[in-house]
Amino acid sequence: MRYSQMLIPTVKEVPADAEVPSHQLMIRAGFIRKLASGTYTYLPLGWRSLLKIINIVREEMNASGAQEILMPLLQPLELWEKTGRDVAFQEILFRFADHHGRMNTLSPTAEEVVTSLAADEIRSYKQLPINLYQICPKFRDEFRPRFGVLRSREFIMKDAYSFDATVEGLDESYRKMYDAYCRIFDRCGLTYVTVEAESGGMGGTDTEEFMVLSDSGEDIVVQTEDGSYGANVTRVEVDPPAKTGKAGRDAPPTQEVHTPGVGSIEAVCGFLDTQPHEMIKTLIYGAGEMSVVALVRGDHEINEGKLCNVCGVSAVELANEQTIRQLSGAEVGFAGPMGLAEKVNRLVIDHSVGAMAAGVSGANKTDYHVKNIVPGRDFPMEGENVLVGDIRNAVEGDTHEGKKLRFSRGIEVGHVFKLGTKYSEALGATFLDEQDNEKPCIMGCYGIGINRILAAAIEIGHDEAGCILPANIAPFEVLVLPLGDSEAVGAEAQRIYDELIAAGTDVLLDDREARPGVKFKDADLIGIPLHVVVGQRGLKNGTVEIKRRKDAEAMTVPAGDAVGKALEILAEMTKT
Ligand SMILES: Nc1ncnc2c1ncn2[C@@H]1O[C@H](COP(=O)(O)OP(=O)(O)OP(=O)(O)O)[C@@H](O)[C@H]1O
Ligand SMILES: [Mg+2]
């Protein structure tokens, strides 16, 4: 392609709302333009990159035996009601009425649609296993669309769904997808780690995320220092701490203190001159008909996924003010563990609360707190409705099986899930086994964020001058830069360009009538990994320059060897 004929609107200015490098550079390099919050147009360079990513994903999915289909993005909300996910996905589900008054949604994911398809088409174990996938837009009304295409409201996802007859079959399908994902991300030139993840609103058990470590990531990846274990912070299992302090049962008796209008942890700490780690946070939840009180230390964050697991329920919801008042007998902010255990269905105590010598918490009386609360003395640590477990997010200093944990930020580019039978049971996706017994299909689902791959590649591949893209996903593989307006330069650049094209290379020729400085600036910005520079002075000596975008220095090669050398470097760059 010729630069002069393409729409490559590079710009100097960084848009005010672009906080992270990939967002800034994708705008500056003319890859994307924003339409509205969380929606972007892909211009020719950005779209070329996305198509290359899509191609890699498609090749590897097909190689794994999965079959490509395309499902509607417009979906009846009724289908979502059958699995209860109209509620579980409440906030991010776009919903609207059509002119018949029927409610619809724009697909944020497609478990419901694919499972209803399986319900219609799969009859016998002989049709299993099967893995169906698609590559198409998804819509999520993200609470905070940001970071450009890293978290947008419309994005392209590859979503795959496996159906198996047995649990072992699911294990095999899952493993195949995991392996295909490794090949995909390797070919895309990403460095990544896989971590255990939390199953969230999806249901199911085993699930792992593919994370690209980057400061712009919104997830926290936790790994043991030896790298043998990794998990999302929302999932990581932390060791229970040793009992702290020495007071225990011999601590001074509890003492009620007047704390007028002081409800939050920070405010109480300031008022009573205590530290957050000496506080006990008392959180009241509902899980269906069940009332649950959870206790975590003031400096810790409750983890609702872990709380669900410990309670053996699929979802918990913070109680409303009225329920809190009713159970605690006080305004919000003054609940405490003393006397609450008897009133609720479950008291769930985090290990680190259990290990406290004594703590401060609400007094279940408006405007009052209690000091010297001793676990086991002032509220029960055991009993029929008492559970002690890991219900908080990991923090710096925690260990896993005795190993110190390391925290980093990560971008989730892919996710593999063992779903089980949640969807197949809800939507009647059953099959007849060899003995003619009707059984629900055992499912897995597997997502990849196509746009996030590109943004993540830029996050880990850029410098001040612009993007440094891996050759397999860059908009072009080679950029030929003729400098100056001499005819000899133009002819030599054209020859190199033609020969590279003939060799099957994806080349851009910067044929613009522009100063060398402008061409070099744009070349660095758009991130094509290999540059062939044809200048008048070099050509007089029969040489051209070849430069990897990531290198500071160019190599001078005889003009006649330029194509061969470029192909050689490119072969090295695209090897996986
Ligand atoms: N808003 C978004 N913008 C761009 N890509 C997204 C977005 N949400 C999800 N993805 C991509 O789709 C993949 C599969 O979707 P999945 O349902 O697992 O996302 P998710 O876990 O909800 O993502 P997140 O935790 O980042 O919100 C993700 O791994 C991610 O790469
Ligand atoms: Mg996910």
Side-chain angles (χ1 to χ4, degrees):
M1 297 282 284
R2 290 175 178 275
Y3 203 126
S4 64
Q5 288 159 21
M6 284 190 77
L7 177 62
I8 309 177
T10 58
V11 287
K12 277 208 196 74
E13 307 76 41
V14 174
D17 67 341
E19 297 165 60
V20 296
S22 61
H23 187 187
Q24 296 169 356
L25 288 172
M26 287 174 85
I27 303 258
R28 285 188 48 211
F31 282 22
I32 56 168
R33 285 295 182 262
K34 178 169 158 177
L35 173 66
S37 169
T39 55
Y40 293 87
T41 297
Y42 278 81
L43 300 178
L45 289 190
W47 183 235
R48 286 180 73 90
S49 268
L50 278 196
L51 284 175
K52 291 192 176 183
I53 295 167
I54 289 173
N55 200 34
I56 292 172
V57 171
R58 180 172 282 138
E59 280 179 13
E60 294 299 340
M61 290 303 292
N62 291 347
S64 79
Q67 300 173 56
E68 186 167 1
I69 59 171
L70 182 62
M71 292 178 273
L73 305 182
L74 183 63
Q75 307 178 351
L77 195 63
E78 207 183 318
L79 197 53
W80 287 73
E81 287 161 2
K82 290 190 184 161
T83 56
R85 284 216 302 180
D86 57 323
V87 178
F89 268 48
Q90 187 106 32
E91 278 143 28
I92 62 161
L93 210 55
F94 283 104
R95 53 184 92 209
F96 53 93
D98 59 25
H99 66 238
H100 298 295
R102 286 188 209 106
M103 289 304 287
N104 294 280
T105 184
L106 290 174
S107 176
T109 169
E111 282 76 15
E112 280 75 4
V113 175
V114 80
T115 312
S116 68
L117 176 78
D120 289 340
E121 307 304 331
I122 293 174
R123 299 261 168 272
S124 153
Y125 72 93
K126 289 180 194 150
Q127 293 168 278
L128 301 176
I130 190 167
N131 185 332
L132 301 172
Y133 80 96
Q134 60 176 356
I135 302 172
C136 62
K138 295 283 175 292
F139 300 86
R140 295 185 180 183
D141 197 359
E142 296 282 357
F143 175 65
R144 230 183 132 192
R146 58 182 185 156
F147 300 160
V149 302
L150 277 175
R151 180 167 303 285
S152 48
R153 299 200 299 167
E154 175 177 343
F155 55 97
I156 300 175
M157 197 200 283
K158 186 287 301 172
D159 44 328
Y161 307 88
S162 66
F163 297 84
D164 273 278
T166 61
V167 172
E168 297 72 41
L170 170 61
D171 290 345
E172 168 85 19
S173 297
Y174 181 89
R175 178 53 44 190
K176 271 193 191 157
M177 280 296 100
Y178 184 99
D179 293 344
Y181 275 35
C182 292
R183 286 192 300 274
I184 288 168
F185 296 126
D186 286 341
R187 285 180 64 185
C188 289
L190 294 180
T191 37
Y192 58 92
V193 294
T194 58
V195 298
E196 290 178 10
E198 225 248 309
S199 58
M202 302 294 290
T205 48
D206 285 4
T207 150
E208 285 158 286
E209 289 163 338
F210 288 74
M211 294 280 192
V212 173
L213 300 185
S214 154
D215 286 341
S216 303
E218 291 183 89
D219 284 279
I220 308 283
V221 172
V222 187
Q223 291 169 286
T224 53
E225 280 184 322
D226 63 0
S228 62
Y229 170 82
N232 194 305
V233 72
T234 56
R235 162 73 187 256
V236 61
E237 290 157 9
V238 295
D239 296 331
K243 188 97 184 159
T244 51
K246 53 184 178 338
R249 283 171 186 275
D250 306 325
T254 55
Q255 185 194 347
E256 202 170 86
V257 282
H258 192 210
T259 51
V262 182
S264 72
I265 296 283
E266 297 73 43
V268 178
C269 283
F271 192 85
L272 294 179
D273 197 19
T274 50
Q275 299 296 317
H277 72 264
E278 296 167 316
M279 300 278 310
I280 301 171
K281 242 193 284 194
T282 305
L283 298 144
I284 303 178
Y285 282 93
E289 294 295 292
M290 205 161 77
S291 54
V292 176
V293 165
L295 305 181
V296 293
R297 242 168 49 182
D299 58 332
H300 288 156
E301 254 177 64
I302 183 91
N303 179 311
E304 294 180 357
K306 288 184 176 182
L307 179 63
C308 287
N309 292 345
V310 171
C311 293
V313 298
S314 61
V316 289
E317 201 180 342
L318 272 175
N320 59 26
E321 289 188 13
Q322 194 194 342
T323 314
I324 294 173
R325 267 190 229 112
Q326 211 174 359
L327 275 171
S328 71
E331 285 302 320
V332 175
F334 299 94
M338 287 172 69
L340 259 194
E342 299 76 40
K343 295 191 193 162
V344 295
N345 301 103
R346 292 275 181 286
L347 174 67
V348 190
I349 303 161
D350 185 67
H351 284 305
S352 43
V353 169
M356 286 168 89
V360 178
S361 195
N364 296 322
K365 185 169 155 189
T366 303
D367 287 344
Y368 284 87
H369 278 78
V370 180
K371 295 205 306 202
N372 305 327
I373 301 180
V374 176
R377 183 190 74 178
D378 301 317
F379 63 86
M381 285 288 293
E382 48 196 42
E384 228 169 64
N385 66 339
V386 180
L387 297 162
V388 182
D390 175 13
I391 57 165
R392 66 172 174 90
N393 285 342
V395 292
E396 213 75 56
D398 278 331
T399 57
H400 174 83
E401 292 176 355
K403 290 176 191 159
K404 225 174 134 198
L405 293 173
R406 200 173 54 193
F407 292 67
S408 16
R409 291 197 156 271
I411 299 168
E412 180 195 322
V413 286
H415 201 160
V416 289
F417 263 107
K418 287 184 188 171
L419 285 174
T421 56
K422 172 176 164 168
Y423 298 92
S424 48
E425 280 179 36
L427 295 159
T430 58
F431 66 96
L432 294 177
D433 71 6
E434 274 176 84
Q435 284 77 42
D436 261 2
N437 298 315
E438 189 176 357
K439 289 193 172 149
C441 294
I442 304 176
M443 292 175 58
C445 74
Y446 317 91
I448 286 184
I450 302 289
N451 325 63
R452 263 195 202 173
I453 291 183
L454 178 55
I458 295 174
E459 287 297 334
I460 60 172
H462 70 268
D463 59 17
E464 262 152 40
C467 310
I468 308 177
L469 282 165
N472 281 334
I473 65 168
F476 289 93
E477 294 173 313
V478 187
L479 175 63
V480 178
L481 293 136
L483 305 180
D485 51 11
S486 107
E487 251 176 55
V489 165
E492 186 60 8
Q494 183 70 45
R495 180 191 67 80
I496 292 171
Y497 171 76
D498 289 341
E499 286 186 24
L500 283 170
I501 299 247
T505 309
D506 203 8
V507 199
L508 179 64
L509 175 67
D510 192 348
D511 60 340
R512 292 176 299 170
E513 279 176 28
R515 281 180 289 114
V518 171
K519 290 193 177 184
F520 283 132
K521 262 214 167 66
D522 282 337
D524 281 345
L525 189 53
I526 63 182
I528 297 172
L530 193 60
H531 302 167
V532 180
V533 183
V534 185
Q536 210 163 346
R537 217 175 314 141
L539 208 54
K540 272 198 185 130
N541 302 323
T543 62
V544 300
E545 291 195 334
I546 295 189
K547 184 177 161 297
R548 290 187 186 85
R549 166 66 181 85
K550 69 179 169 64
D551 293 343
E553 299 294 325
M555 307 166 241
T556 304
V557 298
D561 297 348
V563 171
K565 186 72 192 164
L567 291 175
E568 187 188 309
I569 297 174
L570 203 57
E572 184 63 32
M573 281 178 166
T574 50
K575 193 172 76 190
T576 41

